Amino acid sequence: MFNAVIITGPGFQDHDVVYTYYRLKEEGYAVDVATKAASPVKGKYGIPLPMDKTALPLISFDDLSIDKYDVVILTGGHEAPDRVRQDKKVLQFVNQMAEKGKIVAGLCHGPWIMISAKVLKGRTVCAYVGMVDDMINSGANVIDADVVTDGNIITCSYYGQVGKFMRAVFAATEKAHINGNKQPELIIS
């Protein structure tokens, strides 16, 4: 079984968190959802975290540990990632996950956190239209695609492609596990 953490904050894109959480659970992953100080938050359209009585309690950014997780999912909604990327603990965690070859996956505006964690330089990525300049300025090679897997870094340009995004996350996690976290090839979909 793999362990994943979804990192988010107030104003998250509801679709991103709900879909990724339940798809990870469906695939048998142990899933945590992290917010600053484990504080309850609401999404852009009013979905609360924690979502319901079946979801585990939230964890704090202070509890993030690279030894615990195989995958980190950085969800969108422009407000949440902008707030989250201001937290040094999150940035250190994301950077260390990337350095260890673990899967770092950003959806829609989620890659803002990846930019601030300095894990995109030299990587091939895709980007939400409003983030193209930010991604280029981070040193990434931005291409027009729905989902891009460059080694252990996965980007998705729009939440409408979250199904493809999650398939890429599962495939990359399996490959990283089989290959001992060696970086898999570039995959564009």
Side-chain angles (χ1 to χ4, degrees), residues 77-103:
H78 67 276
E79 182 182 355
D82 192 37
R83 288 176 185 245
V84 170
R85 71 183 180 154
Q86 296 174 42
D87 190 290
K88 289 182 185 343
K89 290 176 210 109
V90 170
L91 300 183
Q92 181 179 17
F93 171 75
V94 170
N95 184 281
Q96 290 175 346
M97 287 285 287
E99 288 292 319
K100 289 282 188 183
K102 297 188 177 191
I103 306 305

Side-chain angles (χ1 to χ4, degrees), residues 104-164:
V104 177
L107 173 60
C108 203
H109 278 80
W112 261 345
I113 301 164
M114 299 161 91
I115 290 168
S116 294
K118 301 190 182 342
V119 301
L120 295 182
K121 187 174 184 177
R123 298 293 189 129
T124 298
V125 300
C126 59
Y128 178 71
V129 67
M131 292 199 40
V132 171
D133 290 344
D134 297 328
M135 301 283 263
I136 290 169
N137 290 336
S138 76
N141 171 35
V142 180
I143 63 171
D144 185 19
D146 295 334
V147 177
V148 174
T149 302
D150 184 352
N152 61 325
I153 302 293
I154 302 171
T155 52
C156 180
S157 60
Y158 185 63
Y159 68 78
Q161 302 300 331
V162 71
K164 276 186 191 178

Side-chain angles (χ1 to χ4, degrees), residues 4-6 15-29 31 71-75 103 105-107 146-149 154-156 158-174 189:
V5 61
I6 299 168
H15 315 77
D16 293 7
V17 173
V18 172
Y19 189 89
T20 58
Y21 177 83
Y22 285 109
R23 277 297 290 129
L24 288 162
K25 296 294 280 180
E26 184 177 47
E27 290 295 316
Y29 283 57
V31 185
V71 178
V72 58
I73 305 279
L74 306 168
T75 60
I103 306 305
L107 173 60
D146 295 334
V147 177
V148 174
T149 302
I154 302 171
T155 52
C156 180
Y158 185 63
Y159 68 78
Q161 302 300 331
V162 71
K164 276 186 191 178
F165 172 73
M166 290 308 294
R167 286 190 296 277
V169 167
F170 299 139
T173 303
E174 282 289 330
S189 54

Side-chain angles (χ1 to χ4, degrees), residues 101 171-185:
T173 303
E174 282 289 330
K175 283 182 184 176
H177 178 71
I178 291 167
N179 297 329
N181 286 334
K182 290 181 184 162
Q183 310 240 332
E185 69 278 2

